[in-house]
Amino acid sequence: MADRPEIEMLFSAATIQARVEALAETIARELGPSPMIVAVLKGGFVFTADLLRALHYRDCHPRIDFLSLSSYGAGSESRGTVTVQRDITDDPTGQTVLLVDDILESGRTLSHAKQMLLDRGAVRVDLCVLLEKPGKRKAVIEADYVGFECADRFVVGYGLDYAHLYRELPYIGAITLD
Ligand code: IMP
Ligand code: MG
């Protein structure tokens, strides 16, 4: 197997777990017993799976759906175009929706997803991200619930990938790309 780059741990599994419990406490209080959760694939799936179970113990019993988006040109200064790769199958009409993703960076994909859900009749769409990289926003969107602020480094693990790898790491770490 090829050499794996060194990973510098930023948030341990225990640190993440404690933060997920605290977020679930706030979210259950804010959104009530039956919100609809829309997890953004692929990066949001690990965080969502843990958050769901933490919500269960706080009398919050959400329905759950998945959305996959891709954003072209997001890394450049030009305007990124967002396309839906895998749409939700449940109807968000009249629902209080919690949109869950791994990380908020430019905000392009998430602002597109939020607007799409509102256009389809969701009454409220709150955004929850595990990580936020400040100072990178290109779209007008802020998260309602944030796990951790993250330095401007490339991070992997707990759902986040580099070249399709590392999503299974139980912790979040930074890798140096050369
Ligand atoms: P944006 O907010 O529309 O720019 O999209 C951010 C997306 O880029 C996230 O959902 C991740 O999939 C990906 N991303 C951004 N920063 C990182 C990182 O440090 N590691 C892994 N993926 C990242
Ligand atoms: Mg993503």
Side-chain angles (χ1 to χ4, degrees), residues 11-13 15-21 23 27 43-48 50-51 99-105 110 127-133 143-150 155-160 169-173:
F11 304 104
S12 71
T15 300
I16 295 169
Q17 191 191 347
R19 189 69 190 119
V20 168
E21 296 292 335
L23 285 171
I27 290 165
F45 85 105
V46 177
F47 177 38
T48 305
D50 283 349
L51 188 62
L99 189 59
V100 182
D101 203 358
D102 50 3
I103 188 166
L104 179 62
E105 205 177 56
L110 289 172
L127 173 62
C128 178
V129 292
L130 182 67
L131 301 173
E132 177 177 52
K133 283 186 188 170
D144 300 283
Y145 317 97
V146 177
F148 306 100
E149 290 228 332
C150 168
V155 292
V156 295
Y158 199 70
L160 288 142
L169 292 180
Y171 53 88
I172 292 169

mmCIF file of all heavy atoms in Angstrom, residues 11-13 15-21 23 27 43-48 50-51 99-105 110 127-133 143-150 155-160 169-173:
data_model
loop_
_atom_site.group_PDB
_atom_site.id
_atom_site.type_symbol
_atom_site.label_atom_id
_atom_site.label_comp_id
_atom_site.label_asym_id
_atom_site.label_seq_id
_atom_site.Cartn_x
_atom_site.Cartn_y
_atom_site.Cartn_z
ATOM 1 N N PHE A 11 -9.455 16.751 16.668
ATOM 2 C CA PHE A 11 -10.577 16.495 17.571
ATOM 3 C C PHE A 11 -10.683 14.980 17.772
ATOM 4 O O PHE A 11 -10.917 14.241 16.818
ATOM 5 C CB PHE A 11 -11.880 17.044 16.983
ATOM 6 C CG PHE A 11 -11.821 18.509 16.644
ATOM 7 C CD1 PHE A 11 -11.699 18.927 15.334
ATOM 8 C CD2 PHE A 11 -11.862 19.477 17.649
ATOM 9 C CE1 PHE A 11 -11.620 20.280 15.006
ATOM 10 C CE2 PHE A 11 -11.796 20.834 17.340
ATOM 11 C CZ PHE A 11 -11.669 21.230 16.014
ATOM 12 N N SER A 12 -10.505 14.545 19.003
ATOM 13 C CA SER A 12 -10.533 13.108 19.282
ATOM 14 C C SER A 12 -11.963 12.589 19.220
ATOM 15 O O SER A 12 -12.934 13.362 19.269
ATOM 16 C CB SER A 12 -9.964 12.838 20.677
ATOM 17 O OG SER A 12 -10.880 13.295 21.657
ATOM 18 N N ALA A 13 -12.089 11.257 19.183
ATOM 19 C CA ALA A 13 -13.418 10.637 19.158
ATOM 20 C C ALA A 13 -14.218 11.041 20.392
ATOM 21 O O ALA A 13 -15.420 11.329 20.307
ATOM 22 C CB ALA A 13 -13.272 9.118 19.071
ATOM 23 N N THR A 15 -13.865 13.760 22.246
ATOM 24 C CA THR A 15 -14.211 15.195 22.145
ATOM 25 C C THR A 15 -15.410 15.379 21.215
ATOM 26 O O THR A 15 -16.329 16.147 21.504
ATOM 27 C CB THR A 15 -12.994 15.982 21.610
ATOM 28 O OG1 THR A 15 -11.916 15.807 22.522
ATOM 29 C CG2 THR A 15 -13.299 17.455 21.455
ATOM 30 N N ILE A 16 -15.395 14.666 20.101
ATOM 31 C CA ILE A 16 -16.511 14.764 19.144
ATOM 32 C C ILE A 16 -17.801 14.253 19.791
ATOM 33 O O ILE A 16 -18.853 14.887 19.697
ATOM 34 C CB ILE A 16 -16.201 13.967 17.856
ATOM 35 C CG1 ILE A 16 -15.022 14.581 17.112
ATOM 36 C CG2 ILE A 16 -17.431 13.929 16.950
ATOM 37 C CD1 ILE A 16 -14.475 13.712 15.974
ATOM 38 N N GLN A 17 -17.690 13.126 20.465
ATOM 39 C CA GLN A 17 -18.882 12.525 21.085
ATOM 40 C C GLN A 17 -19.530 13.492 22.084
ATOM 41 O O GLN A 17 -20.756 13.669 22.099
ATOM 42 C CB GLN A 17 -18.505 11.228 21.782
ATOM 43 C CG GLN A 17 -19.712 10.421 22.215
ATOM 44 C CD GLN A 17 -19.327 9.267 23.145
ATOM 45 O OE1 GLN A 17 -18.153 8.923 23.275
ATOM 46 N NE2 GLN A 17 -20.324 8.698 23.782
ATOM 47 N N ALA A 18 -18.707 14.119 22.905
ATOM 48 C CA ALA A 18 -19.232 15.058 23.902
ATOM 49 C C ALA A 18 -19.907 16.248 23.224
ATOM 50 O O ALA A 18 -20.963 16.723 23.660
ATOM 51 C CB ALA A 18 -18.103 15.543 24.807
ATOM 52 N N ARG A 19 -19.319 16.697 22.146
ATOM 53 C CA ARG A 19 -19.883 17.851 21.428
ATOM 54 C C ARG A 19 -21.199 17.485 20.750
ATOM 55 O O ARG A 19 -22.141 18.277 20.705
ATOM 56 C CB ARG A 19 -18.857 18.351 20.401
ATOM 57 C CG ARG A 19 -19.227 19.645 19.759
ATOM 58 C CD ARG A 19 -19.164 20.829 20.730
ATOM 59 N NE ARG A 19 -19.765 21.999 20.116
ATOM 60 C CZ ARG A 19 -20.824 22.649 20.590
ATOM 61 N NH1 ARG A 19 -21.405 22.285 21.725
ATOM 62 N NH2 ARG A 19 -21.325 23.685 19.939
ATOM 63 N N VAL A 20 -21.266 16.258 20.208
ATOM 64 C CA VAL A 20 -22.496 15.793 19.555
ATOM 65 C C VAL A 20 -23.639 15.737 20.577
ATOM 66 O O VAL A 20 -24.773 16.145 20.290
ATOM 67 C CB VAL A 20 -22.278 14.422 18.876
ATOM 68 C CG1 VAL A 20 -23.598 13.792 18.455
ATOM 69 C CG2 VAL A 20 -21.362 14.566 17.665
ATOM 70 N N GLU A 21 -23.343 15.268 21.782
ATOM 71 C CA GLU A 21 -24.374 15.213 22.828
ATOM 72 C C GLU A 21 -24.883 16.620 23.150
ATOM 73 O O GLU A 21 -26.083 16.850 23.295
ATOM 74 C CB GLU A 21 -23.806 14.569 24.106
ATOM 75 C CG GLU A 21 -23.384 13.111 23.941
ATOM 76 C CD GLU A 21 -24.552 12.153 23.718
ATOM 77 O OE1 GLU A 21 -25.688 12.472 24.144
ATOM 78 O OE2 GLU A 21 -24.327 11.091 23.107
ATOM 79 N N LEU A 23 -24.785 19.286 21.213
ATOM 80 C CA LEU A 23 -25.549 19.808 20.072
ATOM 81 C C LEU A 23 -26.962 19.224 20.058
ATOM 82 O O LEU A 23 -27.937 19.931 19.791
ATOM 83 C CB LEU A 23 -24.853 19.449 18.749
ATOM 84 C CG LEU A 23 -23.605 20.237 18.380
ATOM 85 C CD1 LEU A 23 -22.926 19.605 17.168
ATOM 86 C CD2 LEU A 23 -23.947 21.698 18.070
ATOM 87 N N ILE A 27 -30.486 21.169 19.875
ATOM 88 C CA ILE A 27 -31.341 20.962 18.701
ATOM 89 C C ILE A 27 -32.707 20.411 19.120
ATOM 90 O O ILE A 27 -33.749 20.856 18.620
ATOM 91 C CB ILE A 27 -30.636 20.030 17.684
ATOM 92 C CG1 ILE A 27 -29.450 20.769 17.050
ATOM 93 C CG2 ILE A 27 -31.600 19.550 16.607
ATOM 94 C CD1 ILE A 27 -28.472 19.868 16.314
ATOM 95 N N GLY A 43 -20.178 13.435 2.972
ATOM 96 C CA GLY A 43 -19.459 13.819 4.182
ATOM 97 C C GLY A 43 -20.278 13.866 5.455
ATOM 98 O O GLY A 43 -19.745 13.682 6.543
ATOM 99 N N GLY A 44 -21.602 14.105 5.337
ATOM 100 C CA GLY A 44 -22.406 14.285 6.532
ATOM 101 C C GLY A 44 -22.924 13.009 7.176
ATOM 102 O O GLY A 44 -23.590 13.058 8.213
ATOM 103 N N PHE A 45 -22.606 11.845 6.597
ATOM 104 C CA PHE A 45 -23.314 10.639 7.062
ATOM 105 C C PHE A 45 -22.884 10.153 8.443
ATOM 106 O O PHE A 45 -23.713 9.677 9.221
ATOM 107 C CB PHE A 45 -23.245 9.519 6.020
ATOM 108 C CG PHE A 45 -22.017 8.638 6.054
ATOM 109 C CD1 PHE A 45 -22.084 7.352 6.562
ATOM 110 C CD2 PHE A 45 -20.807 9.085 5.556
ATOM 111 C CE1 PHE A 45 -20.964 6.532 6.586
ATOM 112 C CE2 PHE A 45 -19.680 8.265 5.573
ATOM 113 C CZ PHE A 45 -19.761 6.995 6.088
ATOM 114 N N VAL A 46 -21.618 10.277 8.788
ATOM 115 C CA VAL A 46 -21.155 9.784 10.096
ATOM 116 C C VAL A 46 -21.696 10.689 11.212
ATOM 117 O O VAL A 46 -22.264 10.216 12.204
ATOM 118 C CB VAL A 46 -19.618 9.726 10.151
ATOM 119 C CG1 VAL A 46 -19.148 9.277 11.525
ATOM 120 C CG2 VAL A 46 -19.081 8.790 9.080
ATOM 121 N N PHE A 47 -21.530 11.979 11.017
ATOM 122 C CA PHE A 47 -22.032 12.956 11.990
ATOM 123 C C PHE A 47 -23.539 12.789 12.186
ATOM 124 O O PHE A 47 -24.041 12.756 13.317
ATOM 125 C CB PHE A 47 -21.679 14.357 11.475
ATOM 126 C CG PHE A 47 -22.170 15.494 12.309
ATOM 127 C CD1 PHE A 47 -22.174 15.437 13.702
ATOM 128 C CD2 PHE A 47 -22.618 16.673 11.699
ATOM 129 C CE1 PHE A 47 -22.623 16.515 14.472
ATOM 130 C CE2 PHE A 47 -23.047 17.750 12.455
ATOM 131 C CZ PHE A 47 -23.065 17.670 13.834
ATOM 132 N N THR A 48 -24.269 12.660 11.078
ATOM 133 C CA THR A 48 -25.723 12.522 11.176
ATOM 134 C C THR A 48 -26.109 11.267 11.953
ATOM 135 O O THR A 48 -27.030 11.305 12.783
ATOM 136 C CB THR A 48 -26.363 12.481 9.772
ATOM 137 O OG1 THR A 48 -25.956 13.641 9.049
ATOM 138 C CG2 THR A 48 -27.876 12.459 9.862
ATOM 139 N N ASP A 50 -24.529 9.726 14.317
ATOM 140 C CA ASP A 50 -24.327 9.908 15.764
ATOM 141 C C ASP A 50 -25.326 10.913 16.341
ATOM 142 O O ASP A 50 -25.866 10.714 17.435
ATOM 143 C CB ASP A 50 -22.891 10.374 16.043
ATOM 144 C CG ASP A 50 -21.892 9.225 15.934
ATOM 145 O OD1 ASP A 50 -22.316 8.053 15.846
ATOM 146 O OD2 ASP A 50 -20.674 9.501 15.932
ATOM 147 N N LEU A 51 -25.562 11.979 15.593
ATOM 148 C CA LEU A 51 -26.490 13.014 16.061
ATOM 149 C C LEU A 51 -27.906 12.456 16.243
ATOM 150 O O LEU A 51 -28.576 12.730 17.246
ATOM 151 C CB LEU A 51 -26.499 14.167 15.050
ATOM 152 C CG LEU A 51 -27.260 15.428 15.420
ATOM 153 C CD1 LEU A 51 -26.667 16.088 16.661
ATOM 154 C CD2 LEU A 51 -27.252 16.417 14.249
ATOM 155 N N LEU A 99 -30.812 20.566 8.293
ATOM 156 C CA LEU A 99 -29.872 20.182 7.234
ATOM 157 C C LEU A 99 -28.526 19.932 7.913
ATOM 158 O O LEU A 99 -28.033 20.795 8.639
ATOM 159 C CB LEU A 99 -29.791 21.355 6.256
ATOM 160 C CG LEU A 99 -29.065 21.244 4.944
ATOM 161 C CD1 LEU A 99 -29.643 20.137 4.074
ATOM 162 C CD2 LEU A 99 -29.164 22.595 4.205
ATOM 163 N N VAL A 100 -27.957 18.743 7.691
ATOM 164 C CA VAL A 100 -26.734 18.369 8.417
ATOM 165 C C VAL A 100 -25.596 18.072 7.446
ATOM 166 O O VAL A 100 -25.751 17.251 6.539
ATOM 167 C CB VAL A 100 -26.974 17.115 9.300
ATOM 168 C CG1 VAL A 100 -25.710 16.772 10.086
ATOM 169 C CG2 VAL A 100 -28.145 17.333 10.249
ATOM 170 N N ASP A 101 -24.471 18.721 7.661
ATOM 171 C CA ASP A 101 -23.309 18.450 6.809
ATOM 172 C C ASP A 101 -22.039 18.420 7.653
ATOM 173 O O ASP A 101 -22.047 18.796 8.825
ATOM 174 C CB ASP A 101 -23.201 19.499 5.698
ATOM 175 C CG ASP A 101 -22.413 18.985 4.487
ATOM 176 O OD1 ASP A 101 -21.909 17.839 4.513
ATOM 177 O OD2 ASP A 101 -22.288 19.740 3.506
ATOM 178 N N ASP A 102 -20.966 17.957 7.023
ATOM 179 C CA ASP A 102 -19.696 17.849 7.740
ATOM 180 C C ASP A 102 -19.056 19.203 8.013
ATOM 181 O O ASP A 102 -18.631 19.491 9.118
ATOM 182 C CB ASP A 102 -18.723 16.936 6.957
ATOM 183 C CG ASP A 102 -18.584 17.303 5.472
ATOM 184 O OD1 ASP A 102 -19.184 18.304 5.028
ATOM 185 O OD2 ASP A 102 -17.874 16.579 4.750
ATOM 186 N N ILE A 103 -18.993 20.049 6.976
ATOM 187 C CA ILE A 103 -18.199 21.272 7.129
ATOM 188 C C ILE A 103 -18.784 22.411 6.303
ATOM 189 O O ILE A 103 -19.273 22.192 5.195
ATOM 190 C CB ILE A 103 -16.715 20.985 6.749
ATOM 191 C CG1 ILE A 103 -15.807 22.158 7.070
ATOM 192 C CG2 ILE A 103 -16.564 20.569 5.314
ATOM 193 C CD1 ILE A 103 -14.315 21.793 7.028
ATOM 194 N N LEU A 104 -18.754 23.586 6.858
ATOM 195 C CA LEU A 104 -19.197 24.782 6.137
ATOM 196 C C LEU A 104 -17.972 25.588 5.754
ATOM 197 O O LEU A 104 -17.214 26.040 6.614
ATOM 198 C CB LEU A 104 -20.126 25.612 7.036
ATOM 199 C CG LEU A 104 -20.670 26.919 6.465
ATOM 200 C CD1 LEU A 104 -21.527 26.678 5.222
ATOM 201 C CD2 LEU A 104 -21.489 27.662 7.509
ATOM 202 N N GLU A 105 -17.807 25.715 4.426
ATOM 203 C CA GLU A 105 -16.649 26.441 3.955
ATOM 204 C C GLU A 105 -17.126 27.645 3.136
ATOM 205 O O GLU A 105 -17.441 28.681 3.697
ATOM 206 C CB GLU A 105 -15.729 25.519 3.161
ATOM 207 C CG GLU A 105 -14.298 26.012 3.180
ATOM 208 C CD GLU A 105 -13.353 25.067 2.451
ATOM 209 O OE1 GLU A 105 -13.590 24.779 1.275
ATOM 210 O OE2 GLU A 105 -12.370 24.658 3.060
ATOM 211 N N LEU A 110 -24.475 24.459 0.599
ATOM 212 C CA LEU A 110 -25.488 24.464 1.653
ATOM 213 C C LEU A 110 -26.514 25.570 1.464
ATOM 214 O O LEU A 110 -27.693 25.381 1.779
ATOM 215 C CB LEU A 110 -24.821 24.538 3.026
ATOM 216 C CG LEU A 110 -24.118 23.230 3.394
ATOM 217 C CD1 LEU A 110 -23.309 23.392 4.671
ATOM 218 C CD2 LEU A 110 -25.133 22.095 3.542
ATOM 219 N N LEU A 127 -29.530 24.877 9.898
ATOM 220 C CA LEU A 127 -28.325 24.226 9.395
ATOM 221 C C LEU A 127 -27.404 23.831 10.543
ATOM 222 O O LEU A 127 -27.118 24.647 11.420
ATOM 223 C CB LEU A 127 -27.604 25.202 8.458
ATOM 224 C CG LEU A 127 -26.232 24.775 7.948
ATOM 225 C CD1 LEU A 127 -26.346 23.500 7.123
ATOM 226 C CD2 LEU A 127 -25.611 25.897 7.113
ATOM 227 N N CYS A 128 -26.986 22.575 10.520
ATOM 228 C CA CYS A 128 -26.052 22.070 11.524
ATOM 229 C C CYS A 128 -24.819 21.510 10.831
ATOM 230 O O CYS A 128 -24.937 20.651 9.962
ATOM 231 C CB CYS A 128 -26.751 20.974 12.333
ATOM 232 S SG CYS A 128 -25.686 20.213 13.570
ATOM 233 N N VAL A 129 -23.662 22.005 11.199
ATOM 234 C CA VAL A 129 -22.410 21.471 10.644
ATOM 235 C C VAL A 129 -21.481 21.093 11.784
ATOM 236 O O VAL A 129 -21.477 21.727 12.837
ATOM 237 C CB VAL A 129 -21.692 22.479 9.714
ATOM 238 C CG1 VAL A 129 -22.491 22.700 8.437
ATOM 239 C CG2 VAL A 129 -21.402 23.795 10.401
ATOM 240 N N LEU A 130 -20.706 20.061 11.553
ATOM 241 C CA LEU A 130 -19.761 19.663 12.593
ATOM 242 C C LEU A 130 -18.615 20.669 12.683
ATOM 243 O O LEU A 130 -18.189 21.047 13.757
ATOM 244 C CB LEU A 130 -19.212 18.266 12.295
ATOM 245 C CG LEU A 130 -18.259 17.762 13.368
ATOM 246 C CD1 LEU A 130 -19.007 17.513 14.672
ATOM 247 C CD2 LEU A 130 -17.539 16.517 12.923
ATOM 248 N N LEU A 131 -18.139 21.103 11.510
ATOM 249 C CA LEU A 131 -17.004 22.020 11.471
ATOM 250 C C LEU A 131 -17.343 23.262 10.665
ATOM 251 O O LEU A 131 -18.126 23.202 9.716
ATOM 252 C CB LEU A 131 -15.795 21.348 10.812
ATOM 253 C CG LEU A 131 -15.260 20.075 11.448
ATOM 254 C CD1 LEU A 131 -14.179 19.480 10.560
ATOM 255 C CD2 LEU A 131 -14.720 20.337 12.847
ATOM 256 N N GLU A 132 -16.693 24.336 11.036
ATOM 257 C CA GLU A 132 -16.844 25.568 10.292
ATOM 258 C C GLU A 132 -15.461 26.172 10.099
ATOM 259 O O GLU A 132 -14.685 26.256 11.051
ATOM 260 C CB GLU A 132 -17.723 26.527 11.084
ATOM 261 C CG GLU A 132 -17.886 27.877 10.439
ATOM 262 C CD GLU A 132 -18.838 28.755 11.234
ATOM 263 O OE1 GLU A 132 -18.634 28.912 12.452
ATOM 264 O OE2 GLU A 132 -19.781 29.261 10.634
ATOM 265 N N LYS A 133 -15.165 26.531 8.845
ATOM 266 C CA LYS A 133 -13.920 27.249 8.590
ATOM 267 C C LYS A 133 -14.275 28.715 8.414
ATOM 268 O O LYS A 133 -14.874 29.087 7.405
ATOM 269 C CB LYS A 133 -13.240 26.727 7.315
ATOM 270 C CG LYS A 133 -12.525 25.396 7.500
ATOM 271 C CD LYS A 133 -11.765 25.031 6.233
ATOM 272 C CE LYS A 133 -11.213 23.621 6.308
ATOM 273 N NZ LYS A 133 -10.683 23.151 5.003
ATOM 274 N N ALA A 143 -24.347 28.849 9.851
ATOM 275 C CA ALA A 143 -24.898 27.651 10.485
ATOM 276 C C ALA A 143 -25.598 28.041 11.780
ATOM 277 O O ALA A 143 -25.176 28.959 12.477
ATOM 278 C CB ALA A 143 -23.781 26.662 10.761
ATOM 279 N N ASP A 144 -26.690 27.340 12.072
ATOM 280 C CA ASP A 144 -27.406 27.571 13.328
ATOM 281 C C ASP A 144 -26.753 26.795 14.472
ATOM 282 O O ASP A 144 -26.857 27.190 15.629
ATOM 283 C CB ASP A 144 -28.870 27.157 13.152
ATOM 284 C CG ASP A 144 -29.531 27.957 12.040
ATOM 285 O OD1 ASP A 144 -29.854 29.122 12.293
ATOM 286 O OD2 ASP A 144 -29.674 27.439 10.912
ATOM 287 N N TYR A 145 -26.145 25.660 14.137
ATOM 288 C CA TYR A 145 -25.487 24.826 15.143
ATOM 289 C C TYR A 145 -24.135 24.394 14.575
ATOM 290 O O TYR A 145 -24.075 23.825 13.484
ATOM 291 C CB TYR A 145 -26.324 23.582 15.467
ATOM 292 C CG TYR A 145 -27.797 23.899 15.620
ATOM 293 C CD1 TYR A 145 -28.674 23.712 14.551
ATOM 294 C CD2 TYR A 145 -28.303 24.420 16.810
ATOM 295 C CE1 TYR A 145 -30.022 24.031 14.667
ATOM 296 C CE2 TYR A 145 -29.649 24.743 16.937
ATOM 297 C CZ TYR A 145 -30.501 24.545 15.849
ATOM 298 O OH TYR A 145 -31.829 24.874 15.967
ATOM 299 N N VAL A 146 -23.076 24.674 15.320
ATOM 300 C CA VAL A 146 -21.724 24.353 14.857
ATOM 301 C C VAL A 146 -21.027 23.524 15.925
ATOM 302 O O VAL A 146 -21.034 23.882 17.105
ATOM 303 C CB VAL A 146 -20.898 25.642 14.612
ATOM 304 C CG1 VAL A 146 -19.470 25.301 14.203
ATOM 305 C CG2 VAL A 146 -21.555 26.518 13.552
ATOM 306 N N GLY A 147 -20.406 22.414 15.484
ATOM 307 C CA GLY A 147 -19.645 21.605 16.425
ATOM 308 C C GLY A 147 -18.382 22.309 16.868
ATOM 309 O O GLY A 147 -18.212 22.633 18.050
ATOM 310 N N PHE A 148 -17.508 22.572 15.909
ATOM 311 C CA PHE A 148 -16.218 23.181 16.221
ATOM 312 C C PHE A 148 -15.806 24.150 15.122
ATOM 313 O O PHE A 148 -16.075 23.894 13.952
ATOM 314 C CB PHE A 148 -15.104 22.122 16.288
ATOM 315 C CG PHE A 148 -15.370 20.992 17.221
ATOM 316 C CD1 PHE A 148 -15.827 19.775 16.723
ATOM 317 C CD2 PHE A 148 -15.150 21.128 18.584
ATOM 318 C CE1 PHE A 148 -16.076 18.708 17.579
ATOM 319 C CE2 PHE A 148 -15.386 20.068 19.445
ATOM 320 C CZ PHE A 148 -15.853 18.857 18.950
ATOM 321 N N GLU A 149 -15.141 25.213 15.526
ATOM 322 C CA GLU A 149 -14.442 26.039 14.552
ATOM 323 C C GLU A 149 -13.138 25.331 14.216
ATOM 324 O O GLU A 149 -12.502 24.739 15.087
ATOM 325 C CB GLU A 149 -14.128 27.409 15.144
ATOM 326 C CG GLU A 149 -15.351 28.243 15.326
ATOM 327 C CD GLU A 149 -15.183 29.644 14.783
ATOM 328 O OE1 GLU A 149 -14.050 30.145 14.753
ATOM 329 O OE2 GLU A 149 -16.198 30.223 14.385
ATOM 330 N N CYS A 150 -12.784 25.391 12.955
ATOM 331 C CA CYS A 150 -11.656 24.595 12.488
ATOM 332 C C CYS A 150 -10.653 25.503 11.801
ATOM 333 O O CYS A 150 -11.034 26.406 11.055
ATOM 334 C CB CYS A 150 -12.256 23.568 11.523
ATOM 335 S SG CYS A 150 -11.119 22.672 10.554
ATOM 336 N N VAL A 155 -8.832 18.871 6.472
ATOM 337 C CA VAL A 155 -9.152 17.922 7.537
ATOM 338 C C VAL A 155 -9.838 16.671 6.980
ATOM 339 O O VAL A 155 -10.538 16.727 5.970
ATOM 340 C CB VAL A 155 -10.016 18.571 8.631
ATOM 341 C CG1 VAL A 155 -9.220 19.613 9.390
ATOM 342 C CG2 VAL A 155 -11.280 19.192 8.066
ATOM 343 N N VAL A 156 -9.597 15.570 7.647
ATOM 344 C CA VAL A 156 -10.175 14.280 7.238
ATOM 345 C C VAL A 156 -10.691 13.535 8.464
ATOM 346 O O VAL A 156 -10.337 13.841 9.595
ATOM 347 C CB VAL A 156 -9.132 13.385 6.520
ATOM 348 C CG1 VAL A 156 -8.695 13.997 5.206
ATOM 349 C CG2 VAL A 156 -7.928 13.093 7.414
ATOM 350 N N GLY A 157 -11.524 12.534 8.184
ATOM 351 C CA GLY A 157 -12.032 11.666 9.248
ATOM 352 C C GLY A 157 -13.454 12.014 9.637
ATOM 353 O O GLY A 157 -13.970 13.077 9.299
ATOM 354 N N TYR A 158 -14.104 11.074 10.312
ATOM 355 C CA TYR A 158 -15.470 11.254 10.811
ATOM 356 C C TYR A 158 -16.389 11.723 9.663
ATOM 357 O O TYR A 158 -17.183 12.633 9.794
ATOM 358 C CB TYR A 158 -15.475 12.255 11.971
ATOM 359 C CG TYR A 158 -16.704 12.180 12.845
ATOM 360 C CD1 TYR A 158 -16.942 11.104 13.692
ATOM 361 C CD2 TYR A 158 -17.656 13.211 12.832
ATOM 362 C CE1 TYR A 158 -18.073 11.041 14.491
ATOM 363 C CE2 TYR A 158 -18.789 13.162 13.631
ATOM 364 C CZ TYR A 158 -18.987 12.076 14.454
ATOM 365 O OH TYR A 158 -20.108 12.028 15.244
ATOM 366 N N GLY A 159 -16.217 11.083 8.509
ATOM 367 C CA GLY A 159 -17.033 11.407 7.335
ATOM 368 C C GLY A 159 -16.305 12.216 6.275
ATOM 369 O O GLY A 159 -16.641 12.148 5.099
ATOM 370 N N LEU A 160 -15.306 12.976 6.687
ATOM 371 C CA LEU A 160 -14.586 13.835 5.728
ATOM 372 C C LEU A 160 -13.502 13.039 5.009
ATOM 373 O O LEU A 160 -12.767 12.269 5.635
ATOM 374 C CB LEU A 160 -13.924 14.992 6.463
ATOM 375 C CG LEU A 160 -14.873 16.066 6.985
ATOM 376 C CD1 LEU A 160 -14.407 16.575 8.332
ATOM 377 C CD2 LEU A 160 -14.978 17.210 5.984
ATOM 378 N N LEU A 169 -12.180 7.236 9.751
ATOM 379 C CA LEU A 169 -11.444 7.583 10.976
ATOM 380 C C LEU A 169 -12.421 8.023 12.058
ATOM 381 O O LEU A 169 -13.289 8.851 11.801
ATOM 382 C CB LEU A 169 -10.477 8.746 10.716
ATOM 383 C CG LEU A 169 -9.272 8.535 9.814
ATOM 384 C CD1 LEU A 169 -8.482 9.839 9.740
ATOM 385 C CD2 LEU A 169 -8.414 7.398 10.318
ATOM 386 N N PRO A 170 -12.255 7.507 13.288
ATOM 387 C CA PRO A 170 -13.185 7.891 14.364
ATOM 388 C C PRO A 170 -12.921 9.297 14.903
ATOM 389 O O PRO A 170 -13.686 9.799 15.708
ATOM 390 C CB PRO A 170 -12.910 6.848 15.456
ATOM 391 C CG PRO A 170 -12.073 5.795 14.819
ATOM 392 C CD PRO A 170 -11.340 6.432 13.683
ATOM 393 N N TYR A 171 -11.830 9.913 14.471
ATOM 394 C CA TYR A 171 -11.470 11.260 14.928
ATOM 395 C C TYR A 171 -11.281 12.159 13.712
ATOM 396 O O TYR A 171 -11.327 11.694 12.570
ATOM 397 C CB TYR A 171 -10.178 11.211 15.757
ATOM 398 C CG TYR A 171 -9.032 10.529 15.046
ATOM 399 C CD1 TYR A 171 -8.186 11.246 14.210
ATOM 400 C CD2 TYR A 171 -8.817 9.151 15.184
ATOM 401 C CE1 TYR A 171 -7.152 10.622 13.538
ATOM 402 C CE2 TYR A 171 -7.786 8.514 14.507
ATOM 403 C CZ TYR A 171 -6.957 9.259 13.692
ATOM 404 O OH TYR A 171 -5.939 8.638 13.013
ATOM 405 N N ILE A 172 -11.055 13.449 13.969
ATOM 406 C CA ILE A 172 -10.790 14.382 12.878
ATOM 407 C C ILE A 172 -9.345 14.849 12.975
ATOM 408 O O ILE A 172 -8.887 15.241 14.059
ATOM 409 C CB ILE A 172 -11.748 15.588 12.938
ATOM 410 C CG1 ILE A 172 -13.171 15.109 12.627
ATOM 411 C CG2 ILE A 172 -11.337 16.680 11.953
ATOM 412 C CD1 ILE A 172 -14.223 16.136 12.904
ATOM 413 N N GLY A 173 -8.658 14.768 11.848
ATOM 414 C CA GLY A 173 -7.264 15.177 11.840
ATOM 415 C C GLY A 173 -6.951 16.001 10.615
ATOM 416 O O GLY A 173 -7.735 16.050 9.661
#
